[in-house]
Amino acid sequence: MRCILQPRLFAIHDICIRQNLFPVPFLNTRNHYRIVVVDDDQSTLRLLQHALANSGRNLVSVYQDAERFFHERTGGGGQGLPHVILLGLPADSINPLASFARLRSMMPGVPVIILADPDTHDVAEEALRRDAVDYFSRPIDIRRLRHVIPRVIETAILWKSARKPDAEVLTMDEAKERAVRQALLAARG
């Protein structure tokens, strides 16, 4: 019985994916993300721009100065809201969380990942308490960052869809049941 049932489940899953019947968008490597990196370290900017470009699939914008990024955003420049922002905390600043606070007020729904120097972990932890989604200590683990960014974006999309007042909230079992029903109807018709 198990050998017969398993291929049917995979076939139904494939139909659901092909016909886009899942209730929330599932992210994969074919998606294009708008990633913004704001950091005062030029070598970090070059490294992240190269590492996150993903063979030209991702649009990675880099800013060495947070004020330039804020000026472009308020001036109407850019290609829409980014999916995620990587924000380097300046170690020599009097108030290193000022740019983070300004960023959160300008774009409250955009997830922010903090890039921190090893000696600024306490500031990064404070940023996490103020709604940053994660932080990376320098030197940055690129493999982990490539793994974390799609998960952060997926979580942000799920939160946005759950916060819509007219959005129907389904349990995972209800969503699976609905997707299977729609796939079976599509296979019949």
Side-chain angles (χ1 to χ4, degrees):
M1 180 77 172
R2 185 175 232 179
C3 295
I4 296 171
L5 183 60
Q6 201 71 8
R8 285 186 187 166
L9 288 176
F10 286 126
I12 290 171
H13 184 264
D14 289 342
I15 291 170
C16 291
I17 289 174
R18 271 188 264 124
Q19 296 185 2
N20 199 18
L21 297 176
F22 286 112
V24 295
F26 286 90
L27 303 180
N28 56 41
T29 57
R30 293 187 307 253
N31 287 350
H32 301 271
Y33 303 131
R34 288 183 305 277
I35 302 169
V36 171
V37 182
V38 180
D39 196 1
D40 57 357
D41 182 22
Q42 189 66 34
S43 62
T44 301
L45 291 176
R46 280 194 308 267
L47 171 73
L48 292 176
Q49 186 173 27
H50 176 71
L52 299 175
N54 195 14
S55 303
R57 290 189 188 129
N58 295 328
L59 175 64
V60 181
S61 303
V62 295
Y63 297 89
Q64 192 167 5
D65 182 19
E67 287 304 316
R68 184 173 150 232
F69 172 68
F70 293 134
H71 177 70
E72 284 188 21
R73 294 306 304 175
T74 56
Q79 300 81 15
L81 285 177
H83 288 102
V84 66
I85 297 174
L86 305 174
L87 179 65
L89 294 179
D92 56 349
S93 175
I94 296 171
N95 186 4
L97 291 176
S99 57
F100 175 73
R102 187 169 175 194
L103 187 64
R104 296 307 296 158
S105 66
M106 284 177 62
M107 297 178 225
V110 177
V112 178
I113 297 174
I114 300 296
L115 307 175
D117 289 326
D119 57 340
T120 59
H121 283 289
D122 54 337
V123 178
E125 289 172 3
E126 179 61 29
L128 287 173
R129 282 192 280 278
R130 295 184 185 186
D131 281 344
V133 294
D134 202 350
Y135 83 93
F136 283 79
S137 177
R138 290 187 177 102
I140 297 168
D141 183 359
I142 297 297
R143 281 186 25 192
R144 183 173 157 247
L145 185 63
R146 283 183 179 159
H147 178 75
V148 166
I149 286 178
R151 305 304 174 265
V152 165
I153 293 171
E154 183 176 289
T155 303
I157 289 172
L158 289 172
W159 273 107
K160 285 177 188 174
S161 66
R163 279 190 265 149
K164 290 181 182 175
D166 59 340
E168 183 179 7
V169 179
L170 300 174
T171 65
M172 187 56 99
D173 290 334
E174 291 170 336
K176 286 179 186 176
E177 188 177 311
R178 179 181 287 181
V180 168
R181 248 186 281 124
Q182 290 175 344
L184 290 174
L185 289 173
R188 286 184 200 153

